[in-house]
mmCIF file of all heavy atoms in Angstrom:
data_model
loop_
_atom_site.group_PDB
_atom_site.id
_atom_site.type_symbol
_atom_site.label_atom_id
_atom_site.label_comp_id
_atom_site.label_asym_id
_atom_site.label_seq_id
_atom_site.Cartn_x
_atom_site.Cartn_y
_atom_site.Cartn_z
ATOM 1 N N SER U 1 -17.012 -7.835 3.738
ATOM 2 C CA SER U 1 -16.954 -6.689 2.905
ATOM 3 C C SER U 1 -17.765 -6.773 1.741
ATOM 4 O O SER U 1 -17.107 -6.686 0.650
ATOM 5 C CB SER U 1 -15.417 -6.358 2.706
ATOM 6 O OG SER U 1 -14.722 -6.279 3.979
ATOM 7 N N GLU U 2 -18.912 -7.223 1.686
ATOM 8 C CA GLU U 2 -19.780 -7.605 0.567
ATOM 9 C C GLU U 2 -19.656 -6.452 -0.535
ATOM 10 O O GLU U 2 -19.752 -6.740 -1.679
ATOM 11 C CB GLU U 2 -21.223 -7.994 0.953
ATOM 12 C CG GLU U 2 -21.287 -9.254 1.719
ATOM 13 C CD GLU U 2 -20.831 -9.393 3.073
ATOM 14 O OE1 GLU U 2 -20.917 -8.157 3.658
ATOM 15 O OE2 GLU U 2 -20.477 -10.235 3.703
ATOM 16 N N ALA U 3 -19.973 -5.181 -0.001
ATOM 17 C CA ALA U 3 -20.124 -4.101 -0.887
ATOM 18 C C ALA U 3 -18.828 -3.972 -1.682
ATOM 19 O O ALA U 3 -18.988 -3.673 -2.781
ATOM 20 C CB ALA U 3 -20.313 -2.714 -0.244
ATOM 21 N N LEU U 4 -17.756 -4.012 -1.085
ATOM 22 C CA LEU U 4 -16.450 -4.020 -1.823
ATOM 23 C C LEU U 4 -16.187 -5.131 -2.628
ATOM 24 O O LEU U 4 -15.779 -4.925 -3.736
ATOM 25 C CB LEU U 4 -15.298 -3.722 -0.909
ATOM 26 C CG LEU U 4 -15.320 -2.365 -0.069
ATOM 27 C CD1 LEU U 4 -14.191 -2.373 0.905
ATOM 28 C CD2 LEU U 4 -15.022 -1.248 -1.102
ATOM 29 N N LEU U 5 -16.517 -6.398 -2.167
ATOM 30 C CA LEU U 5 -16.403 -7.521 -2.995
ATOM 31 C C LEU U 5 -17.303 -7.499 -4.196
ATOM 32 O O LEU U 5 -16.907 -7.971 -5.327
ATOM 33 C CB LEU U 5 -16.667 -8.828 -2.092
ATOM 34 C CG LEU U 5 -15.539 -9.119 -1.136
ATOM 35 C CD1 LEU U 5 -16.000 -10.271 -0.336
ATOM 36 C CD2 LEU U 5 -14.285 -9.471 -1.895
ATOM 37 N N SER U 6 -18.374 -6.987 -4.173
ATOM 38 C CA SER U 6 -19.344 -6.952 -5.343
ATOM 39 C C SER U 6 -18.827 -6.053 -6.416
ATOM 40 O O SER U 6 -19.173 -6.262 -7.567
ATOM 41 C CB SER U 6 -20.729 -6.435 -4.707
ATOM 42 O OG SER U 6 -20.664 -5.075 -4.474
ATOM 43 N N GLN U 7 -17.874 -5.037 -5.952
ATOM 44 C CA GLN U 7 -17.198 -4.144 -6.910
ATOM 45 C C GLN U 7 -15.919 -4.791 -7.407
ATOM 46 O O GLN U 7 -15.315 -4.113 -8.372
ATOM 47 C CB GLN U 7 -16.942 -2.837 -6.315
ATOM 48 C CG GLN U 7 -18.104 -2.132 -5.853
ATOM 49 C CD GLN U 7 -17.767 -0.774 -5.186
ATOM 50 O OE1 GLN U 7 -16.554 -0.404 -5.146
ATOM 51 N NE2 GLN U 7 -18.675 -0.188 -4.472
ATOM 52 N N GLY U 8 -15.637 -5.955 -6.937
ATOM 53 C CA GLY U 8 -14.301 -6.503 -7.402
ATOM 54 C C GLY U 8 -13.124 -5.819 -6.755
ATOM 55 O O GLY U 8 -12.111 -5.540 -7.537
ATOM 56 N N ALA U 9 -13.136 -5.283 -5.498
ATOM 57 C CA ALA U 9 -12.084 -4.546 -4.960
ATOM 58 C C ALA U 9 -10.894 -5.455 -4.563
ATOM 59 O O ALA U 9 -11.109 -6.507 -3.792
ATOM 60 C CB ALA U 9 -12.632 -3.747 -3.678
ATOM 61 N N TYR U 10 -9.764 -5.047 -4.860
ATOM 62 C CA TYR U 10 -8.553 -5.653 -4.530
ATOM 63 C C TYR U 10 -7.531 -4.667 -4.165
ATOM 64 O O TYR U 10 -7.751 -3.447 -4.466
ATOM 65 C CB TYR U 10 -8.057 -6.601 -5.710
ATOM 66 C CG TYR U 10 -8.790 -7.786 -5.968
ATOM 67 C CD1 TYR U 10 -9.916 -7.680 -6.742
ATOM 68 C CD2 TYR U 10 -8.454 -8.997 -5.301
ATOM 69 C CE1 TYR U 10 -10.686 -8.863 -6.920
ATOM 70 C CE2 TYR U 10 -9.287 -10.104 -5.542
ATOM 71 C CZ TYR U 10 -10.298 -10.004 -6.329
ATOM 72 O OH TYR U 10 -11.076 -11.159 -6.636
ATOM 73 N N PHE U 11 -6.531 -4.965 -3.339
ATOM 74 C CA PHE U 11 -5.424 -4.030 -3.102
ATOM 75 C C PHE U 11 -4.210 -4.680 -3.239
ATOM 76 O O PHE U 11 -3.929 -5.794 -3.059
ATOM 77 C CB PHE U 11 -5.541 -3.456 -1.633
ATOM 78 C CG PHE U 11 -5.451 -4.427 -0.550
ATOM 79 C CD1 PHE U 11 -4.220 -4.743 0.078
ATOM 80 C CD2 PHE U 11 -6.502 -5.092 -0.076
ATOM 81 C CE1 PHE U 11 -4.103 -5.621 1.120
ATOM 82 C CE2 PHE U 11 -6.511 -6.115 1.010
ATOM 83 C CZ PHE U 11 -5.194 -6.203 1.605
ATOM 84 N N PRO U 12 -3.034 -3.843 -3.568
ATOM 85 C CA PRO U 12 -1.885 -4.460 -4.017
ATOM 86 C C PRO U 12 -1.074 -4.721 -2.687
ATOM 87 O O PRO U 12 -1.239 -4.084 -1.630
ATOM 88 C CB PRO U 12 -1.084 -3.198 -4.707
ATOM 89 C CG PRO U 12 -1.717 -2.061 -4.056
ATOM 90 C CD PRO U 12 -3.198 -2.394 -3.852
ATOM 91 N N THR U 13 -0.148 -5.796 -2.788
ATOM 92 C CA THR U 13 0.645 -6.224 -1.791
ATOM 93 C C THR U 13 2.098 -6.224 -2.178
ATOM 94 O O THR U 13 3.025 -6.330 -1.419
ATOM 95 C CB THR U 13 0.296 -7.490 -1.151
ATOM 96 O OG1 THR U 13 0.350 -8.546 -2.211
ATOM 97 C CG2 THR U 13 -1.084 -7.483 -0.437
ATOM 98 N N ASN U 14 2.294 -6.298 -3.481
ATOM 99 C CA ASN U 14 3.710 -6.263 -4.040
ATOM 100 C C ASN U 14 4.220 -4.835 -4.215
ATOM 101 O O ASN U 14 3.446 -4.009 -4.560
ATOM 102 C CB ASN U 14 3.547 -6.912 -5.479
ATOM 103 C CG ASN U 14 4.750 -7.016 -6.271
ATOM 104 O OD1 ASN U 14 5.664 -6.156 -6.254
ATOM 105 N ND2 ASN U 14 5.004 -8.109 -7.019
ATOM 106 N N PRO U 15 5.401 -4.648 -3.796
ATOM 107 C CA PRO U 15 6.064 -3.251 -3.778
ATOM 108 C C PRO U 15 5.883 -2.617 -5.111
ATOM 109 O O PRO U 15 5.607 -1.372 -5.181
ATOM 110 C CB PRO U 15 7.518 -3.542 -3.417
ATOM 111 C CG PRO U 15 7.443 -4.704 -2.634
ATOM 112 C CD PRO U 15 6.499 -5.617 -3.177
ATOM 113 N N SER U 16 6.122 -3.314 -6.234
ATOM 114 C CA SER U 16 5.965 -2.468 -7.558
ATOM 115 C C SER U 16 4.487 -2.212 -7.790
ATOM 116 O O SER U 16 4.203 -1.122 -8.445
ATOM 117 C CB SER U 16 6.502 -3.524 -8.640
ATOM 118 O OG SER U 16 5.806 -4.751 -8.787
ATOM 119 N N GLN U 17 3.555 -3.008 -7.414
ATOM 120 C CA GLN U 17 2.195 -2.710 -7.681
ATOM 121 C C GLN U 17 1.737 -1.548 -6.745
ATOM 122 O O GLN U 17 1.018 -0.645 -7.063
ATOM 123 C CB GLN U 17 1.246 -3.989 -7.240
ATOM 124 C CG GLN U 17 1.439 -5.193 -8.309
ATOM 125 C CD GLN U 17 0.920 -4.714 -9.658
ATOM 126 O OE1 GLN U 17 -0.101 -3.890 -9.769
ATOM 127 N NE2 GLN U 17 1.535 -5.334 -10.559
ATOM 128 N N ILE U 18 2.326 -1.504 -5.382
ATOM 129 C CA ILE U 18 2.057 -0.346 -4.615
ATOM 130 C C ILE U 18 2.524 0.940 -5.251
ATOM 131 O O ILE U 18 1.806 1.930 -5.246
ATOM 132 C CB ILE U 18 2.581 -0.568 -3.259
ATOM 133 C CG1 ILE U 18 1.939 -1.739 -2.577
ATOM 134 C CG2 ILE U 18 2.539 0.591 -2.329
ATOM 135 C CD1 ILE U 18 2.592 -2.201 -1.178
ATOM 136 N N TRP U 19 3.821 0.805 -5.696
ATOM 137 C CA TRP U 19 4.429 1.993 -6.221
ATOM 138 C C TRP U 19 3.733 2.585 -7.452
ATOM 139 O O TRP U 19 3.403 3.745 -7.731
ATOM 140 C CB TRP U 19 5.958 1.750 -6.623
ATOM 141 C CG TRP U 19 6.605 3.151 -7.029
ATOM 142 C CD1 TRP U 19 7.052 3.408 -8.285
ATOM 143 C CD2 TRP U 19 6.727 4.287 -6.271
ATOM 144 N NE1 TRP U 19 7.494 4.554 -8.316
ATOM 145 C CE2 TRP U 19 7.426 5.125 -7.165
ATOM 146 C CE3 TRP U 19 6.440 4.593 -4.970
ATOM 147 C CZ2 TRP U 19 7.804 6.359 -6.758
ATOM 148 C CZ3 TRP U 19 6.907 5.948 -4.667
ATOM 149 C CH2 TRP U 19 7.516 6.779 -5.487
ATOM 150 N N GLN U 20 3.300 1.627 -8.332
ATOM 151 C CA GLN U 20 2.426 1.939 -9.557
ATOM 152 C C GLN U 20 1.116 2.564 -9.054
ATOM 153 O O GLN U 20 0.673 3.544 -9.742
ATOM 154 C CB GLN U 20 2.231 0.624 -10.396
ATOM 155 C CG GLN U 20 1.501 0.972 -11.742
ATOM 156 C CD GLN U 20 2.296 1.813 -12.576
ATOM 157 O OE1 GLN U 20 3.508 1.760 -12.725
ATOM 158 N NE2 GLN U 20 1.499 2.756 -13.280
ATOM 159 N N GLY U 21 0.542 2.060 -8.127
ATOM 160 C CA GLY U 21 -0.808 2.657 -7.680
ATOM 161 C C GLY U 21 -0.531 3.924 -7.004
ATOM 162 O O GLY U 21 -1.464 4.907 -7.143
ATOM 163 N N VAL U 22 0.591 4.242 -6.389
ATOM 164 C CA VAL U 22 0.938 5.549 -5.643
ATOM 165 C C VAL U 22 1.034 6.487 -6.847
ATOM 166 O O VAL U 22 0.564 7.782 -6.879
ATOM 167 C CB VAL U 22 2.089 5.495 -4.848
ATOM 168 C CG1 VAL U 22 2.690 6.873 -4.537
ATOM 169 C CG2 VAL U 22 1.785 4.763 -3.512
ATOM 170 N N LEU U 23 1.828 6.143 -7.914
ATOM 171 C CA LEU U 23 1.962 7.049 -9.096
ATOM 172 C C LEU U 23 0.646 7.400 -9.796
ATOM 173 O O LEU U 23 0.464 8.445 -10.264
ATOM 174 C CB LEU U 23 2.890 6.378 -10.105
ATOM 175 C CG LEU U 23 4.350 6.289 -9.653
ATOM 176 C CD1 LEU U 23 5.219 5.551 -10.768
ATOM 177 C CD2 LEU U 23 5.020 7.608 -9.220
ATOM 178 N N GLU U 24 -0.306 6.520 -9.658
ATOM 179 C CA GLU U 24 -1.541 6.731 -10.275
ATOM 180 C C GLU U 24 -2.708 7.321 -9.225
ATOM 181 O O GLU U 24 -3.803 7.478 -9.450
ATOM 182 C CB GLU U 24 -2.189 5.381 -10.818
ATOM 183 C CG GLU U 24 -1.419 4.717 -11.922
ATOM 184 C CD GLU U 24 -1.786 3.391 -12.474
ATOM 185 O OE1 GLU U 24 -2.960 2.887 -11.872
ATOM 186 O OE2 GLU U 24 -1.149 2.860 -13.240
ATOM 187 N N PHE U 25 -2.011 7.558 -8.069
ATOM 188 C CA PHE U 25 -2.789 8.296 -6.938
ATOM 189 C C PHE U 25 -4.065 7.353 -6.552
ATOM 190 O O PHE U 25 -5.107 7.996 -6.286
ATOM 191 C CB PHE U 25 -3.248 9.702 -7.379
ATOM 192 C CG PHE U 25 -3.194 10.609 -6.222
ATOM 193 C CD1 PHE U 25 -1.998 10.877 -5.504
ATOM 194 C CD2 PHE U 25 -4.296 11.461 -5.890
ATOM 195 C CE1 PHE U 25 -1.947 11.733 -4.480
ATOM 196 C CE2 PHE U 25 -4.209 12.247 -4.866
ATOM 197 C CZ PHE U 25 -3.100 12.491 -4.062
ATOM 198 N N LYS U 26 -3.940 6.144 -6.402
ATOM 199 C CA LYS U 26 -4.956 5.195 -5.971
ATOM 200 C C LYS U 26 -4.915 5.234 -4.433
ATOM 201 O O LYS U 26 -3.889 4.961 -3.754
ATOM 202 C CB LYS U 26 -4.744 3.864 -6.497
ATOM 203 C CG LYS U 26 -4.874 3.779 -8.022
ATOM 204 C CD LYS U 26 -4.793 2.406 -8.570
ATOM 205 C CE LYS U 26 -4.933 2.323 -10.071
ATOM 206 N NZ LYS U 26 -4.955 0.862 -10.570
ATOM 207 N N PRO U 27 -6.154 5.393 -3.780
ATOM 208 C CA PRO U 27 -6.300 5.463 -2.366
ATOM 209 C C PRO U 27 -5.707 4.225 -1.685
ATOM 210 O O PRO U 27 -4.982 4.326 -0.635
ATOM 211 C CB PRO U 27 -7.782 5.716 -2.074
ATOM 212 C CG PRO U 27 -8.279 6.217 -3.336
ATOM 213 C CD PRO U 27 -7.453 5.686 -4.416
ATOM 214 N N PHE U 28 -5.946 3.070 -2.069
ATOM 215 C CA PHE U 28 -5.497 1.849 -1.384
ATOM 216 C C PHE U 28 -3.974 1.768 -1.493
ATOM 217 O O PHE U 28 -3.255 1.249 -0.593
ATOM 218 C CB PHE U 28 -6.037 0.531 -1.869
ATOM 219 C CG PHE U 28 -7.432 0.323 -1.506
ATOM 220 C CD1 PHE U 28 -8.299 -0.714 -2.104
ATOM 221 C CD2 PHE U 28 -8.168 1.128 -0.606
ATOM 222 C CE1 PHE U 28 -9.585 -0.889 -1.763
ATOM 223 C CE2 PHE U 28 -9.556 0.919 -0.270
ATOM 224 C CZ PHE U 28 -10.189 -0.028 -0.838
ATOM 225 N N ALA U 29 -3.382 2.125 -2.569
ATOM 226 C CA ALA U 29 -1.896 2.088 -2.760
ATOM 227 C C ALA U 29 -1.250 3.118 -1.757
ATOM 228 O O ALA U 29 -0.229 2.877 -1.224
ATOM 229 C CB ALA U 29 -1.575 2.522 -4.138
ATOM 230 N N LEU U 30 -1.881 4.336 -1.577
ATOM 231 C CA LEU U 30 -1.338 5.284 -0.651
ATOM 232 C C LEU U 30 -1.381 4.815 0.739
ATOM 233 O O LEU U 30 -0.411 4.858 1.597
ATOM 234 C CB LEU U 30 -2.153 6.491 -0.707
ATOM 235 C CG LEU U 30 -1.888 7.482 -2.015
ATOM 236 C CD1 LEU U 30 -2.915 8.493 -2.190
ATOM 237 C CD2 LEU U 30 -0.458 7.831 -2.067
ATOM 238 N N ILE U 31 -2.567 4.165 1.011
ATOM 239 C CA ILE U 31 -2.570 3.539 2.490
ATOM 240 C C ILE U 31 -1.650 2.343 2.598
ATOM 241 O O ILE U 31 -0.930 2.371 3.616
ATOM 242 C CB ILE U 31 -4.018 3.016 2.609
ATOM 243 C CG1 ILE U 31 -5.065 4.186 2.689
ATOM 244 C CG2 ILE U 31 -4.192 2.184 4.003
ATOM 245 C CD1 ILE U 31 -6.508 3.740 2.631
ATOM 246 N N MET U 32 -1.404 1.569 1.695
ATOM 247 C CA MET U 32 -0.450 0.478 1.772
ATOM 248 C C MET U 32 0.971 1.125 1.866
ATOM 249 O O MET U 32 1.711 0.576 2.713
ATOM 250 C CB MET U 32 -0.556 -0.449 0.386
ATOM 251 C CG MET U 32 -1.786 -1.235 0.546
ATOM 252 S SD MET U 32 -1.948 -2.489 1.866
ATOM 253 C CE MET U 32 -0.647 -3.557 1.506
ATOM 254 N N LEU U 33 1.263 2.045 1.136
ATOM 255 C CA LEU U 33 2.546 2.714 1.165
ATOM 256 C C LEU U 33 2.876 3.283 2.649
ATOM 257 O O LEU U 33 4.015 3.099 3.191
ATOM 258 C CB LEU U 33 2.814 3.755 0.172
ATOM 259 C CG LEU U 33 4.264 4.415 0.102
ATOM 260 C CD1 LEU U 33 5.349 3.559 -0.119
ATOM 261 C CD2 LEU U 33 4.303 5.596 -0.891
ATOM 262 N N GLY U 34 1.879 3.930 3.115
ATOM 263 C CA GLY U 34 1.826 4.429 4.521
ATOM 264 C C GLY U 34 2.196 3.311 5.575
ATOM 265 O O GLY U 34 2.996 3.498 6.411
ATOM 266 N N LEU U 35 1.542 2.137 5.271
ATOM 267 C CA LEU U 35 1.721 1.106 6.274
ATOM 268 C C LEU U 35 3.050 0.414 6.126
ATOM 269 O O LEU U 35 3.585 0.048 7.176
ATOM 270 C CB LEU U 35 0.573 0.031 5.952
ATOM 271 C CG LEU U 35 -0.858 0.438 6.502
ATOM 272 C CD1 LEU U 35 -1.840 -0.610 6.022
ATOM 273 C CD2 LEU U 35 -0.980 0.562 7.920
ATOM 274 N N VAL U 36 3.533 0.239 4.932
ATOM 275 C CA VAL U 36 4.927 -0.272 4.690
ATOM 276 C C VAL U 36 5.969 0.807 5.333
ATOM 277 O O VAL U 36 6.794 0.276 6.071
ATOM 278 C CB VAL U 36 5.211 -0.343 3.220
ATOM 279 C CG1 VAL U 36 6.703 -0.619 2.955
ATOM 280 C CG2 VAL U 36 4.351 -1.486 2.641
ATOM 281 N N LEU U 37 5.756 2.060 5.159
ATOM 282 C CA LEU U 37 6.734 3.019 5.889
ATOM 283 C C LEU U 37 6.590 2.812 7.345
ATOM 284 O O LEU U 37 7.630 2.986 8.170
ATOM 285 C CB LEU U 37 6.481 4.381 5.408
ATOM 286 C CG LEU U 37 6.876 4.737 3.876
ATOM 287 C CD1 LEU U 37 6.489 6.178 3.537
ATOM 288 C CD2 LEU U 37 8.390 4.473 3.755
ATOM 289 N N LEU U 38 5.472 2.784 7.890
ATOM 290 C CA LEU U 38 5.241 2.654 9.303
ATOM 291 C C LEU U 38 5.980 1.307 9.824
ATOM 292 O O LEU U 38 6.545 1.463 10.866
ATOM 293 C CB LEU U 38 3.724 2.579 9.720
ATOM 294 C CG LEU U 38 3.448 2.688 11.179
ATOM 295 C CD1 LEU U 38 3.877 3.983 11.644
ATOM 296 C CD2 LEU U 38 1.936 2.452 11.322
ATOM 297 N N ILE U 39 5.945 0.194 9.028
ATOM 298 C CA ILE U 39 6.639 -1.071 9.517
ATOM 299 C C ILE U 39 8.143 -0.784 9.372
ATOM 300 O O ILE U 39 8.877 -1.340 10.196
ATOM 301 C CB ILE U 39 6.074 -2.175 8.658
ATOM 302 C CG1 ILE U 39 4.697 -2.442 8.927
ATOM 303 C CG2 ILE U 39 6.980 -3.353 8.921
ATOM 304 C CD1 ILE U 39 3.893 -3.304 8.047
ATOM 305 N N ILE U 40 8.616 -0.098 8.305
ATOM 306 C CA ILE U 40 9.974 0.031 8.051
ATOM 307 C C ILE U 40 10.691 0.921 9.028
ATOM 308 O O ILE U 40 11.945 0.801 9.223
ATOM 309 C CB ILE U 40 10.259 0.428 6.545
ATOM 310 C CG1 ILE U 40 10.057 -0.637 5.689
ATOM 311 C CG2 ILE U 40 11.731 0.899 6.365
ATOM 312 C CD1 ILE U 40 9.971 -0.285 4.231
ATOM 313 N N THR U 41 9.905 1.913 9.536
ATOM 314 C CA THR U 41 10.571 2.937 10.447
ATOM 315 C C THR U 41 11.348 2.288 11.553
ATOM 316 O O THR U 41 12.505 2.720 11.860
ATOM 317 C CB THR U 41 9.400 3.990 10.991
ATOM 318 O OG1 THR U 41 8.901 4.524 9.854
ATOM 319 C CG2 THR U 41 10.006 4.910 11.855
ATOM 320 N N PRO U 42 10.803 1.443 12.438
ATOM 321 C CA PRO U 42 11.596 0.899 13.581
ATOM 322 C C PRO U 42 12.753 0.011 13.147
ATOM 323 O O PRO U 42 13.814 0.011 13.774
ATOM 324 C CB PRO U 42 10.691 0.109 14.436
ATOM 325 C CG PRO U 42 9.371 -0.018 13.606
ATOM 326 C CD PRO U 42 9.364 0.945 12.563
ATOM 327 N N VAL U 43 12.709 -0.642 11.918
ATOM 328 C CA VAL U 43 13.757 -1.350 11.397
ATOM 329 C C VAL U 43 14.876 -0.361 11.049
ATOM 330 O O VAL U 43 16.096 -0.655 11.455
ATOM 331 C CB VAL U 43 13.436 -2.150 10.216
ATOM 332 C CG1 VAL U 43 14.541 -2.874 9.580
ATOM 333 C CG2 VAL U 43 12.212 -3.236 10.544
ATOM 334 N N LEU U 44 14.570 0.677 10.424
ATOM 335 C CA LEU U 44 15.607 1.770 10.075
ATOM 336 C C LEU U 44 16.197 2.269 11.345
ATOM 337 O O LEU U 44 17.444 2.480 11.402
ATOM 338 C CB LEU U 44 14.953 2.843 9.266
ATOM 339 C CG LEU U 44 15.837 3.948 8.921
ATOM 340 C CD1 LEU U 44 17.093 3.509 7.921
ATOM 341 C CD2 LEU U 44 15.151 5.142 8.067
ATOM 342 N N ASN U 45 15.382 2.447 12.400
ATOM 343 C CA ASN U 45 15.926 3.104 13.775
ATOM 344 C C ASN U 45 16.896 2.027 14.339
ATOM 345 O O ASN U 45 18.011 2.418 14.809
ATOM 346 C CB ASN U 45 14.705 3.262 14.658
ATOM 347 C CG ASN U 45 14.957 4.351 15.616
ATOM 348 O OD1 ASN U 45 15.638 5.292 15.236
ATOM 349 N ND2 ASN U 45 14.334 4.277 16.774
ATOM 350 N N VAL U 46 16.633 0.721 14.275
ATOM 351 C CA VAL U 46 17.554 -0.219 14.818
ATOM 352 C C VAL U 46 18.773 -0.318 14.018
ATOM 353 O O VAL U 46 19.803 -0.360 14.633
ATOM 354 C CB VAL U 46 16.979 -1.615 14.983
ATOM 355 C CG1 VAL U 46 17.895 -2.671 15.343
ATOM 356 C CG2 VAL U 46 15.733 -1.628 15.916
ATOM 357 N N ALA U 47 18.633 -0.331 12.673
ATOM 358 C CA ALA U 47 19.914 -0.166 11.783
ATOM 359 C C ALA U 47 20.743 1.069 12.193
ATOM 360 O O ALA U 47 22.022 0.980 12.156
ATOM 361 C CB ALA U 47 19.522 -0.127 10.363
ATOM 362 N N LEU U 48 20.169 2.244 12.318
ATOM 363 C CA LEU U 48 21.010 3.469 12.684
ATOM 364 C C LEU U 48 21.505 3.304 14.107
ATOM 365 O O LEU U 48 22.652 3.692 14.208
ATOM 366 C CB LEU U 48 19.999 4.677 12.659
ATOM 367 C CG LEU U 48 19.537 5.153 11.206
ATOM 368 C CD1 LEU U 48 18.540 6.235 11.302
ATOM 369 C CD2 LEU U 48 20.726 5.516 10.387
#
């Protein structure tokens, strides 16, 4: 991903960093929140 690396692109993995990025409407943070919710959905289903 040379083009992104040359720009110094990073994405958050910490929940607080993801939430902060979502509040700032950052695209990578929105994608990460969507992925986290997708992973949590079956866990919630089993708990229910």
Side-chain angles (χ1 to χ4, degrees):
S1 305
E2 289 82 17
L4 290 171
L5 283 173
S6 67
Q7 299 174 11
Y10 289 85
F11 63 92
T13 56
N14 182 315
S16 64
Q17 293 292 329
I18 293 172
W19 185 246
Q20 183 62 36
V22 167
L23 294 177
E24 295 172 9
F25 216 58
K26 292 183 177 185
F28 286 173
L30 289 170
I31 293 170
M32 289 297 292
L33 180 61
L35 290 173
V36 168
L37 289 177
L38 189 62
I39 291 168
I40 289 175
T41 298
V43 176
L44 178 61
N45 209 31
V46 171
L48 288 173

